[in-house]
Amino acid sequence: MSAARRLKASLKGWGGVGAMGVACALTATFALLPLRDAPLDGAATGGQGMSRGMYANADDCEDADAWKQSLGPSSDEGGKTVAAIKKRGYLVVGVDQNSYRWGYRDPNSESDSADLEGFDIDLAHRIADEIVGGDPKDNIRFKAVPTNQRIPAIQNGQVDMVVRTMTISCKRLKDVAFSAPYFTTGQQVLAPKSSTIDGYDGSLAKKRICTATGSTAWERLDADKESGDLVSSADISTTVPNQLDCLVRLQLGEVDAVVTDGALAASQAAQDPTVALKGKPFTTEYYGVAMKKDAEDLVRRVNQVLEDYRDSGWQQSYDKWLAPTLGKDPAKSRPPTPDYR
Amino acid sequence: MTYTSKGSAAPPGQGAPTALAVPPQAARPAPPAASGPPEAGPPRRTAFMEGVDELRASATTEPGRLRIIGAALALLVVAFGAVTAWQMSDRSAAADDVLHSSQPLSAAAADVYRALADANTAASSGFLAGGQETPASRTRYEKDIRDAADGLAGAATASDPGSSSARTIAELNKLLPEYKGLVERARANNRQGYPLGGAYLRYANQKMQEEMLPRAERLYKNENRRLSDDYDSAVVYPWAAIGLGVLTLGTLVWAQRRNYHRTNRVLNRGLVAASAASTVVLLWLVVGHAVARSELLASYNDGVVSVNVLNDARIASLKARGNENLTLVSRGAETTESGDDKFDSDFKGDMKELSTSLAKAEDIADDSSGERPVKAATGNMKVWLERHQEAREADNDGDYQAALSKVIGSEDDKPTWECFDSVVKNLEKALGHEQNEFKLAASSGRDALSGLPVGAALLAVLGASGAVLGIGRRLSEYR
């Protein structure tokens, strides 16, 4: 009796797994169909072969390897997304207006247009110049996109792409497509130069640490505190709407240290000569250009731009905006050689 | 008297048996005096008890009765005058407080509230203009801060130590320099071109909106409560005085009727004079208070209520302007949970509040000169909303400069600041009008009471003398 029930239950379980496998296989088939000559026999022979395809796509994604998920470069401009942009005559890019040296507007700018400037902005201009061409002043429109609106703005077509210190992650890959990485960074500690804090280590004991609400930095600190990788006496209760607000709290003495992307921490250090990056980055992250998930032609086209940009352009932009705070040697910031899917 | 004597007549006094013979009416004035004995206690004969016995004894003869009646009448008239003077000077003082103390204090608290909100708005306007803010916006900001500090000092003097208002003022006094420090840091960073300046300004704004303005509002509400307490004590009916007045007149009529029955003389000049004086006091009291009451109520309903609604509208417009500016300062640095820009969504809330308050103000405006500016402000608000929409569209399309011009630009750009300024100007016009209405009605209310306490006291003395003289005249017939 009990054996029969067990058998029935296990059959039921397998039935569920089987159904899911079939569903996955079908989804994967449709998703992969246009990309490559999908072997249709995979669907016929059943679960095994197809589910491996699934893994490679999303579920088995490791954040450390998420940057390897982009599509190979191509200078083909016949795809419908690229063609639509070229026809429109300008590229719409979602950017930040508050990240000093990355994407920001100088309030004292002499120019009437109060242009945006920074490392991200340089890259956006380069992409527009290569894809749209024409007058560099007229081939691009910037839209200020708040951090939590980056993905919705892409999904509902408000912007063609987001160039806004956006880390490539598995979670985001479910909603948007990323270009190959264009910058390497990692979570880092920022503290006053005179502080005893010397990195992401025991020197953070009994210190108050500021992070942005809902940021990867906070998630990491919370997880590390749980697992004991961060001293339990560190106080991570201060969270603010924007990472820059952490520098305000730091200057006012309300917190002792800030944890954020090294690149953004450098942008904060650039605004206050009395604070500095402490220790080495304790994670490795890559910034990528985010685009609509189905805009494959655009992803490939942008990757082609990046191929060229890495050779000429990247270094000049780095020297101009980031060398003063990240160091003259760009080795640790330089993106890895792309590993396309 | 007949039955009280049974109870209190434990000591065998000679008055007890004879008291039965006294005509009932003669005993009437006695009860106030007779109510004392039980407390005196029977074991010892006190001076008071002896006095009662003496009174009882004298009540057996007509001159004795007349003396008692005369004393009672004089006492009643004086008591009536005294209670009237006391109750009316209470009301008159409350009406005076309304006019000269609690309403000005409520207006001062509203002004602290306004100055704080205005300072926050001016700070963000100056910030938007870039590193070099305009002298106008700097002057306005500095003046607002001064106004707020002055207003707080004034409110501190008027508040009772240890009261909730005093605590609130102390907290605001602590927050004001903190706020100013944050704004100065924002300015310094903005001059250097650092986006950090915007972060400081958002922090200053947060301090203002979440900590300071709610306290300023509490102060304002406290003062409004004090105002409405003063109103309550000014308009409550003086029942004690009215009751005593009716009793006095009734007793005077009874005394004259008794006099007529005993002597067949129709008029006793003294008693007539006392009646006339009492009647005048009673009429003055009733009519004067009724007039004052209706004027004060009118000053509340037409003045204070309108002023409060208009103040609400003014604060809403200031907050809306501040948030409109901050939308451009923050550039999407803060969002609500639903993903909208925090400041734009706050702006929308403030405009809704403004529209509600304006509709209410138009509804309760009781004349055209009160209604006109409110209508004009409503029109300005509508244009403001349209222009704001254009600014938002430009900003969302990435044309920050156009959005900026639409908000703080020159007049050719048709900027929203024009609309905001007009809203505030019209609201101030309406406020001035309603404040005037209030003053007119409240002062005529207070004036209706003026002289009443003194007049009542004088007339009561006259009336009492009349009663004493009138009775004295009768009494002299027995010598």
Side-chain angles (χ1 to χ4, degrees):
Chain A
M1 184 59 197
S2 73
R5 201 188 297 145
R6 223 179 290 136
L7 182 66
K8 213 170 147 194
S10 70
L11 270 178
K12 232 187 238 164
W14 280 110
V17 170
M20 240 151 77
V22 171
C24 290
L26 284 174
T27 324
T29 312
F30 287 122
L32 299 178
L33 208 53
L35 308 189
R36 48 179 86 160
D37 299 324
L40 278 172
D41 59 341
T45 52
Q48 207 64 15
M50 277 325 280
S51 54
R52 208 183 298 130
M54 256 308 272
Y55 282 156
N57 220 7
D59 280 346
D60 202 24
C61 172
E62 288 278 341
D63 273 329
D65 292 328
W67 61 277
K68 295 175 181 168
Q69 298 280 327
S70 197
L71 301 164
S74 155
S75 47
D76 176 33
E77 296 191 334
K80 67 173 176 16
T81 321
V82 177
I85 292 166
K86 287 179 84 79
K87 191 169 169 235
R88 192 203 294 144
Y90 58 87
L91 185 71
V92 185
V93 186
V95 293
D96 194 353
Q97 301 193 73
N98 283 318
S99 290
Y100 193 51
R101 303 276 162 94
W102 283 89
Y104 98 110
R105 197 182 296 278
D106 182 357
N108 302 326
S109 169
E110 295 289 317
S111 89
D112 267 358
S113 54
D115 286 332
L116 285 157
E117 55 190 43
F119 190 86
D120 275 343
I121 305 300
D122 280 356
L123 175 58
H125 273 300
R126 178 67 169 266
I127 295 171
D129 289 348
E130 288 204 16
I131 296 181
V132 184
D135 179 7
K137 277 201 177 320
D138 211 35
N139 60 13
I140 191 161
R141 299 268 193 287
F142 290 112
K143 258 181 202 264
V145 184
T147 311
N148 63 356
Q149 288 301 294
R150 293 184 291 197
I151 289 175
I154 295 169
Q155 285 177 326
N156 60 31
Q158 282 180 287
V159 295
D160 296 321
M161 60 185 63
V162 163
V163 187
R164 192 188 184 285
T165 56
M166 193 165 175
T167 301
I168 303 170
S169 74
C170 292
K171 202 170 138 210
R172 288 173 181 160
L173 273 170
K174 287 181 181 154
D175 301 313
V176 294
F178 276 100
S179 71
Y182 68 88
F183 200 83
T184 305
T185 183
Q187 300 296 321
Q188 211 166 350
V189 178
L190 181 86
K193 279 179 178 163
S194 59
S195 164
T196 54
I197 295 169
D198 52 20
Y200 192 66
D201 53 26
S203 62
L204 286 170
K206 292 186 186 160
K207 300 292 185 190
R208 295 159 300 171
I209 306 169
C210 177
T211 49
T213 312
S215 65
T216 44
W218 186 85
E219 281 165 20
R220 177 67 190 242
L221 291 185
D222 193 46
D224 281 359
K225 221 175 143 179
E226 198 102 317
S227 67
D229 288 340
L230 174 63
V231 279
S232 59
S233 63
D235 174 6
I236 59 168
S237 60
T238 308
T239 60
V240 292
N242 189 290
Q243 44 88 19
L244 189 54
D245 297 330
C246 277
L247 183 56
V248 169
R249 305 299 193 273
L250 187 72
Q251 288 189 350
L252 293 173
E254 291 172 20
V255 296
D256 304 306
V258 177
V259 171
T260 183
D261 295 2
L264 294 174
S267 137
Q268 294 188 9
Q271 299 177 62
D272 183 349
T274 69
V275 302
L277 296 163
K278 299 278 184 155
K280 289 193 161 52
F282 57 93
T283 62
T284 304
E285 290 169 21
Y286 304 99
Y287 290 155
V289 179
M291 285 153 281
K292 223 175 191 164
K293 212 170 173 194
D294 56 7
E296 282 143 20
D297 56 331
L298 186 61
V299 175
R300 288 179 193 278
R301 185 70 190 87
V302 168
N303 279 343
Q304 183 61 51
V305 175
L306 284 174
E307 289 279 334
D308 307 337
Y309 191 62
R310 276 194 301 274
D311 293 338
S312 78
W314 193 95
Q315 182 68 50
Q316 285 90 319
S317 189
Y318 180 91
D319 288 343
K320 183 171 179 194
W321 302 114
L322 304 175
T325 42
L326 282 176
K328 284 223 162 19
D329 176 18
K332 62 181 195 299
S333 304
R334 203 178 272 289
T337 312
D339 186 352
Y340 300 111
R341 191 162 73 194
Chain B
M1 186 68 202
T2 44
Y3 51 82
T4 49
S5 65
K6 269 183 208 155
S8 63
Q14 76 255 63
T18 42
L20 291 169
V22 177
Q25 68 268 43
R28 241 183 244 160
S35 65
E39 287 160 22
R44 260 179 65 203
R45 285 184 57 81
T46 59
F48 182 76
M49 285 304 295
E50 282 170 9
V52 170
D53 288 342
E54 226 169 85
L55 201 67
R56 232 175 244 156
S58 68
T60 54
T61 62
E62 179 63 12
R65 281 181 215 132
L66 279 173
R67 269 197 200 98
I68 293 173
I69 292 172
L73 279 177
L75 207 70
L76 265 179
V77 176
V78 167
F80 170 45
V83 169
T84 304
W86 163 58
Q87 286 204 312
M88 290 329 281
S89 65
D90 250 18
R91 278 154 188 74
S92 171
D96 207 60
D97 279 351
V98 163
L99 192 62
H100 290 129
S101 155
S102 49
Q103 206 281 337
L105 279 175
S106 152
D111 207 51
V112 168
Y113 195 7
R114 179 208 57 83
L116 289 176
D118 200 80
N120 201 38
T121 305
S124 59
S125 297
F127 190 93
L128 272 183
Q132 304 249 339
E133 57 191 333
T134 59
S137 74
R138 185 170 40 233
T139 314
R140 181 167 176 173
Y141 169 77
E142 296 294 347
K143 182 179 177 299
D144 285 332
I145 294 288
R146 254 195 328 270
D147 284 356
D150 287 352
L152 283 175
T157 322
S159 70
D160 303 321
S163 66
S164 140
S165 286
R167 271 197 308 279
T168 308
I169 293 164
E171 285 162 0
L172 278 170
N173 272 328
K174 193 170 82 57
L175 285 165
L176 190 61
E178 279 178 33
Y179 171 79
K180 196 150 194 286
L182 290 175
V183 171
E184 299 313 332
R185 279 174 178 243
R187 281 174 166 176
N189 277 290
N190 200 36
R191 283 186 96 93
Q192 307 213 45
Y194 295 152
L196 184 62
Y200 266 111
L201 196 70
R202 281 188 286 112
Y203 195 36
N205 176 67
Q206 184 189 333
K207 203 161 234 41
M208 178 59 84
Q209 304 251 10
E210 287 171 18
E211 295 181 48
M212 299 174 74
L213 289 183
R215 283 184 172 81
E217 190 174 1
R218 196 190 311 152
L219 185 65
Y220 170 54
K221 296 243 158 91
N222 275 350
E223 296 299 343
N224 265 353
R225 205 167 308 129
R226 174 142 62 161
L227 173 61
S228 92
D229 285 351
D230 280 345
Y231 264 111
D232 284 348
S233 34
V235 299
V236 68
Y237 283 107
W239 288 122
I242 294 172
L244 212 52
V246 171
L247 180 68
T248 309
L249 274 179
T251 313
L252 277 165
V253 167
W254 167 80
Q256 285 169 87
R257 198 166 158 272
R258 180 180 186 278
N259 197 30
Y260 169 69
H261 281 306
R262 302 262 159 129
T263 63
N264 264 337
R265 269 173 279 187
V266 180
L267 289 178
N268 174 309
R269 274 183 215 146
L271 289 181
V272 168
S275 307
S278 300
T279 310
V280 168
V281 172
L282 188 59
L283 279 178
W284 190 359
L285 167 69
V286 171
V287 173
H289 186 259
V291 170
R293 189 181 146 82
S294 94
E295 287 288 347
L296 284 170
L297 287 179
S299 81
Y300 189 80
N301 293 328
D302 301 342
V304 173
V305 173
S306 297
V307 165
N308 286 351
V309 171
L310 289 168
N311 270 327
D312 288 346
R314 185 165 62 164
I315 297 294
S317 70
L318 288 167
K319 281 189 185 170
R321 177 65 184 170
N323 282 319
E324 181 175 46
N325 288 338
L326 275 157
T327 310
L328 288 176
V329 171
S330 86
R331 303 165 196 158
E334 278 184 64
T335 48
T336 61
E337 269 169 31
S338 58
D340 299 324
D341 185 271
K342 176 185 181 289
F343 299 104
D344 196 40
S345 120
D346 285 354
F347 168 85
K348 284 179 189 142
D350 296 333
M351 287 306 257
K352 204 168 280 169
E353 216 170 283
L354 173 63
S355 146
T356 315
S357 299
L358 283 176
K360 213 155 138 198
E362 200 174 321
D363 222 36
I364 57 177
D366 50 342
D367 56 12
S368 62
S369 52
E371 206 174 0
R372 215 176 307 120
V374 176
K375 271 195 170 146
T378 310
N380 302 143
M381 178 193 73
K382 284 182 181 146
V383 181
W384 183 0
L385 278 171
E386 281 163 22
R387 292 186 182 180
H388 175 82
Q389 194 51 38
E390 288 171 32
R392 287 318 310 142
E393 272 162 22
D395 193 25
N396 287 335
D397 283 346
D399 196 346
Y400 182 81
Q401 201 56 43
L404 195 63
S405 308
K406 205 76 205 159
V407 172
I408 60 160
S410 65
E411 277 159 34
D412 303 333
D413 299 318
K414 296 203 176 1
T416 55
W417 66 258
E418 286 184 330
C419 311
F420 161 72
D421 271 6
S422 309
V423 167
V424 169
K425 241 172 238 152
N426 279 314
L427 282 177
E428 262 154 23
K429 208 183 286 169
L431 266 170
H433 172 78
E434 298 298 345
Q435 193 82 28
N436 218 31
E437 294 256 287
F438 158 81
K439 260 189 202 143
L440 280 179
S443 20
S444 63
R446 187 208 44 179
D447 292 350
L449 296 177
S450 63
L452 216 167
V454 178
L458 277 178
L459 281 170
V461 170
L462 271 179
S465 338
V468 169
L469 284 175
I471 296 292
R473 178 110 186 79
R474 274 280 287 129
L475 211 53
S476 62
E477 289 164 10
Y478 288 87
R479 284 189 187 137

